[in-house]
């Protein structure tokens, strides 16, 4: 195993993981007011509605699809009775459909950010880099599914990429498993790790701030105020 493969499949992933965790800790302790997605809905709503809807719902399924394909060992599916054919159909066709939906969503968001003047002017460099990075990662991911596997590629990532990725978490990396992977898979993984590296310094941090308290929070009740009473209240405030 040469030094280049050691860097790509051992050093680089651990470096990105370190930046990911340390960066979040640093960002949270130094920039809590900036820990937000900075909604631009007030500037433009229609493009945001469809782009955000398709992207956010799609990425949830994409995430669990990666968990099922990478983190869950191949032998588990054999134990629970999922055949190679069944898994292949789910991974390629269901995963491909979800990937296309997610890609359409992020492209709508990118087009909105670049084409709508008010959005573009109020976008930071970080905002543009984040969306472009997501497009690259998902584009390469679709390339692995629709451009390689669906067209008859023989590479089985559950016997190579999966074990390699899991080996990182037990601090026993096996870079040789990645050395022979098709280029499109390698590029997708490297782009994903690069995204992890910039994550703490972008709007993506809002992923960890889901407003779960809203589920048990009381409704905010708005009541109209009689115009005469409003004038009386305003007069009282002025006198005070």
């Amino acid at each position: 195993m040469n030094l280049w493969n050691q860097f790509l499949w051992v050093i680089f992933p651990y470096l990105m993981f370190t930046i990911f965790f340390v960066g979040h800790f640093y960002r949270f302790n130094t920039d809590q007011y900036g820990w937000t997605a900075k909604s631009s809905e007030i500037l433009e709503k229609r493009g945001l509605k469809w782009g955000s809807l398709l992207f956010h719902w799609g990425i949830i399924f994409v995430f669990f699809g990666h968990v099922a394909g990478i983190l869950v060992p191949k032998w588990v599916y054999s134990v629970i009775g999922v055949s190679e054919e069944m898994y292949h159909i789910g991974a390629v066709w269901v995963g491909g459909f979800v990937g296309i939906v997610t890609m359409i969503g992020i492209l709508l968001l990118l087009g909105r950010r670049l084409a709508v003047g008010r959005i573009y002017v109020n976008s930071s460099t970080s905002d543009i880099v984040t969306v472009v990075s997501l497009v690259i990662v998902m584009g390469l991911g679709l390339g692995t599914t629709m451009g390689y596997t669906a067209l008859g590629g023989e590479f089985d990532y559950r016997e190579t990429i999966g074990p390699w990725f899991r080996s990182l978490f037990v601090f026993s990396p096996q870079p040789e498993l990645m050395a022979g992977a098709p280029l499109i898979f390698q590029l997708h993984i490297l782009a994903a790790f690069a995204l992890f590296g910039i994550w703490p310094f972008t709007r993506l941090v809002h992923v960890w701030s889901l407003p779960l308290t809203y589920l048990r929070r009381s409704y905010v009740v708005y009541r109209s105020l009689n115009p005469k009473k409003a004038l009386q209240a305003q007069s009282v405030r002025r006198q005070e």
Side-chain angles (χ1 to χ4, degrees):
M1 187 58 54
N2 59 42
L3 183 61
W4 181 242
N5 283 318
Q6 287 285 346
F7 172 77
L8 290 179
W9 312 120
V10 180
I11 298 174
F12 184 70
Y14 280 129
L15 179 62
M16 293 301 102
F17 275 140
T18 301
I19 296 175
F20 181 83
F21 290 109
V22 175
H24 276 90
F25 180 80
Y26 174 81
R27 175 82 180 272
F28 184 78
N29 283 279
T30 60
D31 186 29
Q32 290 191 26
Y33 287 109
W35 192 283
T36 174
K38 297 182 296 184
S39 175
S40 56
E41 182 178 357
I42 193 173
L43 301 176
E44 193 279 333
K45 191 170 184 177
R46 176 178 291 184
L48 178 64
K49 174 185 176 181
W50 289 108
S52 181
L53 183 68
L54 293 174
F55 172 73
H56 284 95
W57 276 106
I59 203 67
I60 291 173
F61 287 98
V62 167
F63 169 77
F64 285 108
H66 280 68
V67 170
I70 302 298
L71 293 182
V72 178
K74 186 176 180 179
W75 62 264
V76 173
Y77 293 98
S78 299
V79 171
I80 62 177
V82 177
S83 66
E84 287 286 329
E85 184 179 1
M86 292 170 60
Y87 180 87
H88 184 79
I89 292 174
V92 174
W93 300 112
V94 177
F97 172 76
V98 171
I100 290 173
V101 169
T102 311
M103 190 67 177
I104 292 173
I106 195 63
L107 286 175
L108 287 175
L109 294 176
L110 176 61
R112 170 181 178 270
R113 191 161 291 278
L114 296 178
V116 179
R118 291 183 296 176
I119 305 296
Y120 181 77
V121 169
N122 286 278
S123 297
S124 65
T125 301
S126 172
D127 294 334
I128 303 297
V129 169
T130 300
V131 182
V132 171
S133 298
L134 287 168
V135 170
I136 292 173
V137 172
M138 287 188 290
L140 291 169
L142 273 177
T144 65
T145 303
M146 306 303 294
Y148 184 90
T149 306
L151 296 180
E154 298 293 331
F155 178 71
D156 189 350
Y157 60 85
R158 292 190 293 165
E159 294 181 350
T160 51
I161 296 176
W164 164 76
F165 189 72
R166 295 192 297 271
S167 74
L168 296 175
F169 291 95
V170 296
F171 301 102
S172 182
Q174 298 175 287
E176 65 277 4
L177 294 174
M178 284 300 304
L183 180 61
I184 187 69
F185 285 88
Q186 293 180 337
L187 292 176
H188 175 55
I189 291 169
L190 291 174
F193 273 109
L195 181 63
F196 284 144
I198 67 171
W199 191 306
F201 314 104
T202 67
R203 61 173 45 230
L204 293 175
V205 294
H206 78 280
V207 171
W208 315 118
S209 301
L210 295 175
L212 297 179
T213 55
Y214 284 12
L215 298 175
R216 56 181 176 82
R217 192 184 70 174
S218 300
Y219 289 105
V220 178
V221 179
Y222 293 91
R223 295 187 176 91
S224 60
L225 187 63
N226 186 290
K228 292 184 178 179
K229 292 183 178 181
L231 291 174
Q232 292 175 356
Q234 186 177 9
S235 176
V236 170
R237 286 197 298 270
R238 287 177 178 176
Q239 292 175 4
E240 294 176 350

